[in-house]
Amino acid sequence: MTTHTIGIIMNGVTGRMGTNQHLLRSIKAIIEQGGVRISADEVIMPDPILVGRNATKLQALCRLAGVEQYTTDLDAVLADPRYQIYFDAQVTGRRAAAVKKAIEAGKHIYCEKPTGTTTEEALELYELATAAGLKNGVVQDKLWLPGLRKLKRLMENDFFGKILSVRGEFGYWVFEGHSIPAQRPSWNYRKEDDGGIIVDMLCHWRYVLDNLFGQVKAVSCLGATHIPERIDENGQPYECTADDSCYATFELEGDVVAHFNSSWTVRVRRDDLLTLQVDGTKGSAVAGLRDCYIQHYGNTPKPVWNPDIPQPIPFFEGWSKVPEQEVFDNAFKVQWELFLKHVVKDTPFPWDLKAGARGVQLAEKGLESWAKRAWVDIEAL
C-alpha cells in the first residue's frame, strides 16, 4: 500500500463551519475511513495541524477531533515543509493576507468564500497562486448537496427540456437576541466587519448558477436591513449596518431567468432552508438540501382561476419524490477528497480561486445594483 501523507494547515477552524463541516465531518471523517482511496493499493492520508489565536480553544478542538498538532504561530507552521496545503476558514477580512503568506511559502491553497473583500483582491489571490505554480481551490459545497446532485441527474437525462427559470428560496429567522439568543454571530450584521447576506450568499448563488444552469450575464438586486438592532455575544445591543435580506434576479446565458430570495428575517414554510424550483418545457423539479420532487408535463394539472370556491386541485399531490438511487456523502467532504486528489494526482479541479473571485464579483455587482437601483452587467474576469 502506497500512502501519500499530506500535511494540512487548517486556519480558523474554531468557528462553527470550520469545526463541524471542515474538521469533523471532512478531515476527521477522511482519516477515520482510512484516507482517500485512489486505487486498491494507493491512498491519501491527511495530516492536519490546527491554527488559531486562542490556544485554549485549539486544545479543546484537538481533543474533540483527535488531532495532535496545533499552534498559534502561523508564520512558523508556514515555514514547515511537512505541510503542503494551507486551508483558510477565518472571517473574510483576515483571509486574503493569510492566503498571500501561504502562497509566498509555497503552499497549495484551499479556502472558504468569500475569498476576498473585493473582486480585485480575490482575483489577485488566483493570479499569485497560479504564477507560483500552486494548486488552488475554493469551497463550493452546495454543488455536492444530495438535492442539487439529483437536479443535475435530471438535467443530464433531459427531464426538463429547455430550462426556462430557476427560483431559489433561502433563509430562516435569526433571533435578534433580546429574549431568545441569536443563532448566528453578530459580525454577520455589521458591514464594517464584512457582514451582510449579499456578500455571504451571492458567492454561493454564483457557482450554483454557473455550474448548473448557465453563466450569469446580469443582476438586479435589492437589499434590506429589516432588523435595525440586535444583541451581540456579550449581551450588548448593537446597530445592524449590513443587509439581512436580499432579493436578486439574474439573467443567465441561454435565456434562463433566475430569482433568489435570501433572508435571515423569514419564517420557513417550505420543504427546507434552501429550495430551488426549476421549470422547463417538459417538467419541473423542486430540490431541497437532500430531497427532490418532480412533476412531468404529463402530470401537470390544468387549474382555472376561480377565487369563489375552495381550491379543488391538491397541488402537492401532483409531485413525485425522486428515489434514493445513490449514496451521497457530506458535500464538504466530497470536495475535500477531490482537492486532495488534485494535489496528489493532478486530477481536474475547476473550482479554483478564479471561481471564488467570480463569486465576490457577483456580490459586488449586487451591491452596485442595489445602490444604483438598476440592472448591472457581469463582465468576464
Side-chain angles (χ1 to χ4, degrees), residues 169-379:
E169 290 285 345
F170 166 80
Y172 47 93
W173 187 269
V174 176
F175 285 93
E176 307 92 322
H178 294 94
S179 56
I180 298 174
Q183 68 268 43
R184 288 185 65 87
S186 59
W187 69 264
N188 284 275
Y189 306 95
R190 292 191 293 265
K191 199 67 178 175
E192 58 272 25
D193 293 330
D194 303 308
I197 201 165
I198 293 176
V199 169
D200 190 347
M201 296 312 302
L202 261 62
C203 292
H204 286 283
W205 305 151
R206 179 69 189 265
Y207 70 73
V208 169
L209 293 171
D210 279 359
N211 283 274
L212 292 180
F213 306 110
Q215 295 291 314
V216 181
K217 295 168 54 180
V219 60
S220 172
C221 180
L222 176 67
T225 306
H226 291 309
I227 305 296
E229 180 186 274
R230 294 178 181 269
I231 305 299
D232 68 16
E233 292 78 3
N234 299 314
Q236 299 300 311
Y238 66 95
E239 179 186 2
C240 299
T241 53
D243 41 284
D244 56 27
S245 298
C246 165
Y247 311 93
T249 304
F250 309 97
E251 181 188 3
L252 312 184
E253 63 182 4
D255 298 322
V256 178
V257 176
H259 181 84
F260 279 68
N261 293 325
S262 310
S263 179
W264 290 316
T265 61
V266 63
R267 294 175 179 88
V268 179
R269 194 177 189 273
R270 53 185 187 270
D271 291 330
D272 215 328
L273 299 184
L274 167 65
T275 57
L276 293 182
Q277 177 159 336
V278 181
D279 290 305
T281 54
K282 293 183 179 179
S284 297
V286 178
L289 301 181
R290 303 197 64 83
D291 295 326
C292 183
Y293 295 85
I294 56 175
Q295 185 173 88
H296 193 265
Y297 189 92
N299 298 98
T300 303
K302 189 178 181 181
V304 176
W305 176 260
N306 187 351
D308 299 321
I309 61 172
Q311 177 53 246
I313 300 174
F315 289 109
F316 284 99
E317 294 180 10
W319 295 77
S320 302
K321 185 177 180 180
V322 173
E324 301 298 326
Q325 300 168 320
E326 303 172 69
V327 176
F328 296 104
D329 207 345
N330 177 279
F332 290 85
K333 178 172 174 280
V334 171
Q335 195 178 6
W336 261 109
E337 292 180 339
L338 291 171
F339 187 71
L340 290 171
K341 290 180 182 178
H342 178 56
V343 169
V344 174
K345 305 298 290 186
D346 200 29
T347 53
F349 193 88
W351 312 282
D352 57 15
L353 284 169
K354 191 172 186 179
R358 285 194 287 268
V360 178
Q361 178 196 34
L362 185 60
E364 281 198 323
K365 295 296 186 180
L367 291 169
E368 180 185 340
S369 170
W370 179 16
K372 292 181 176 178
R373 303 181 70 83
W375 277 92
V376 174
D377 290 334
I378 310 297
E379 304 88 4

Side-chain angles (χ1 to χ4, degrees), residues 61 104 237 282:
L61 193 54
E104 291 171 2
K282 293 183 179 179

